Amino acid sequence: MSLKVIQWATGGVGRAAIEGIVAHPELELVGCWVHSDDKVGRDVGELCGMEPLGVKATNDVDALMNMAADCVMYSPIMGNTEEVARILASGKNVVTPLNWFYPGKRDVSLLEKSCLAGRSTLHGTGIHPGGITERFPLMISALSSVITHVRAEEFSDIRTYNAPAVISDIMLFGKTPEEAAASPMVGFLGQGFGQSMDMVAAEMGFDVDSEMISAHDVAVATAPIDSPIGVIQPGLVAAQRFTWQHTVRGEPVITVRVNWFMGEENLEPAWNFGPQGERFEVEVTGDPSSLVSFHGLHPESIAAGLIRNPGVVATANHCVSAIPYVCRAGSGIKTYLDLPLVAGRAAPALSL
């Protein structure tokens, strides 16, 4: 029997998740929560540019809580702990790219109680934070001994990210350097990346210092730059670099970094992606050391990315692929360390 799935939100990740759920041989889409009133009552397939699916979008949370379903793929712009707790208590498992990658010493008692009440499971996954910062570093680290440093890094042209409000109002691109210095992204992203780093540190046995180090650097436009939020004028923020690190006695041992640029031209400082271009990198320094670059998770062009961004699709797919494994797991918050290897599924025409 197929596992019944509710998709929570239909932004970029949500739409890609719906495509993945429909294509997955073990899953069936049975419900969909939407934020916008103009989406309510519309066929979810039509909302996602697909053929009609026979599932109507709704903003009726109570109806979804009472619906028979095995899992909720939870991907609104911002996560709500109380909402997730309610979903879990209703007996539905939750997979999400927003948080709960590795609780560590954080207070997750409300969610644990909800999992116990609903005999349900919560799993945080995704790509960055997620696979690039946790699963792949740990997998690659098995090839090395006496490891001294682990690095996970993203290099992305943010002009391909079709979320103007997020880029302008949350990321604070197009603002003055002084305004960007107050960006909530250091703390907001640090919550997810901090969990990733904690997981790697704990599993690999690093005796990390109590405080995580973070840094936020910006580059400004030196000439007008076209962007999804309009033209960025000279002197305003057109590139940002966020860094988080765990240290042992003050020496960095785990580094996570994102490089988000509005292209590579007309920037001061004159940052660029280097000869490899856009990519994700995972590097383990040890005996021997290794460096892995992930290509194909960025769009071929700005125009293509605004229609369908492979990185967003990969984030959704990592969540969708995890659903069968999460539904088979015991109750509670389960990380990569608690689940078996998660794999995708063959194309329908090639499957058993």
Side-chain angles (χ1 to χ4, degrees):
M1 293 178 62
S2 297
L3 296 169
K4 299 181 184 300
V5 182
I6 296 171
Q7 172 57 41
W8 208 277
T10 56
V13 173
R15 291 193 298 273
I18 288 167
E19 293 178 8
I21 292 166
V22 171
H24 199 291
E26 300 171 49
L27 306 179
E28 176 189 358
L29 184 73
V30 296
C32 181
W33 178 88
V34 291
H35 177 266
S36 302
D37 289 339
D38 60 352
K39 294 181 179 180
V40 173
R42 296 175 60 186
D43 188 280
V44 175
E46 294 174 351
L47 287 177
C48 299
M50 305 166 62
E51 293 296 321
L53 298 174
V55 176
K56 301 295 185 181
T58 182
N59 59 3
D60 188 338
V61 173
D62 291 335
L64 291 171
M65 292 295 175
N66 292 325
M67 179 179 289
D70 299 288
C71 190
V72 170
M73 190 349 219
Y74 184 81
S75 61
I77 293 178
M78 302 289 286
N80 182 312
T81 301
E82 288 73 23
E83 188 170 63
V84 172
R86 186 180 175 192
I87 296 170
L88 292 166
S90 75
K92 300 172 184 63
N93 303 297
V94 173
V95 175
T96 178
L98 298 180
N99 201 338
W100 307 292
F101 305 98
Y102 181 77
K105 298 178 181 179
R106 296 163 182 83
D107 182 8
V108 291
S109 56
L110 173 62
L111 296 168
E112 290 283 10
K113 290 177 182 176
S114 298
C115 288
L116 183 62
R119 300 178 65 184
S120 53
T121 305
L122 171 61
H123 176 60
T125 185
I127 183 172
H128 195 64
I132 298 296
T133 46
E134 303 157 16
R135 180 183 297 278
F136 301 132
L138 289 174
M139 177 181 66
I140 294 166
S141 73
L143 305 176
S144 304
S145 66
V146 292
I147 295 168
T148 58
H149 191 259
V150 177
R151 175 178 63 89
E153 188 161 3
E154 174 186 355
F155 301 83
S156 295
D157 189 331
I158 209 67
R159 293 176 299 176
T160 65
Y161 185 41
N162 193 8
V166 175
I167 293 172
S168 176
D169 301 335
I170 299 178
M171 295 181 176
L172 299 183
F173 279 91
K175 304 296 192 291
T176 66
E178 293 76 19
E179 290 173 311
S183 169
M185 296 300 286
V186 176
F188 173 64
L189 287 175
Q191 293 177 26
F193 287 126
Q195 292 181 61
S196 295
M197 293 164 63
D198 287 351
M199 183 191 298
V200 172
E203 184 65 12
M204 295 179 65
F206 283 113
D207 183 20
V208 296
D209 300 328
S210 59
E211 295 297 323
M212 179 177 66
I213 296 174
S214 62
H216 177 206
D217 303 296
V218 303
V220 299
T222 59
I225 297 175
D226 288 331
S227 81
I229 58 173
V231 176
I232 297 178
Q233 298 295 340
L236 300 182
V237 173
Q240 300 191 59
R241 176 176 287 145
F242 297 89
T243 304
W244 298 268
Q245 290 183 312
H246 268 331
T247 59
V248 173
R249 294 182 291 279
E251 186 71 23
V253 294
I254 302 173
T255 299
V256 171
R257 183 178 293 117
V258 295
N259 301 272
W260 289 336
F261 305 166
M262 293 289 185
E264 300 178 274
E265 299 180 355
N266 303 316
L267 298 176
E268 175 58 43
W271 292 344
N272 61 74
F273 296 133
Q276 288 198 62
E278 293 182 88
R279 65 199 183 279
F280 292 89
E281 286 186 349
V282 173
E283 183 176 27
V284 174
T285 304
D287 179 25
S289 298
S290 59
L291 172 61
V292 178
S293 295
F294 294 83
H295 293 275
L297 299 177
H298 292 88
E300 296 180 355
S301 66
I302 295 172
L306 294 175
I307 297 172
R308 194 170 191 268
N309 191 309
V312 173
V313 176
T315 300
N317 284 341
H318 207 182
C319 293
V320 172
S321 294
I323 289 174
Y325 303 87
V326 171
C327 289
R328 292 194 291 265
S331 62
I333 301 175
K334 302 298 181 183
T335 74
Y336 292 144
L337 303 179
D338 303 309
L339 298 177
L341 175 67
V342 171
R345 295 296 183 266
L350 304 174
S351 61
L352 297 173

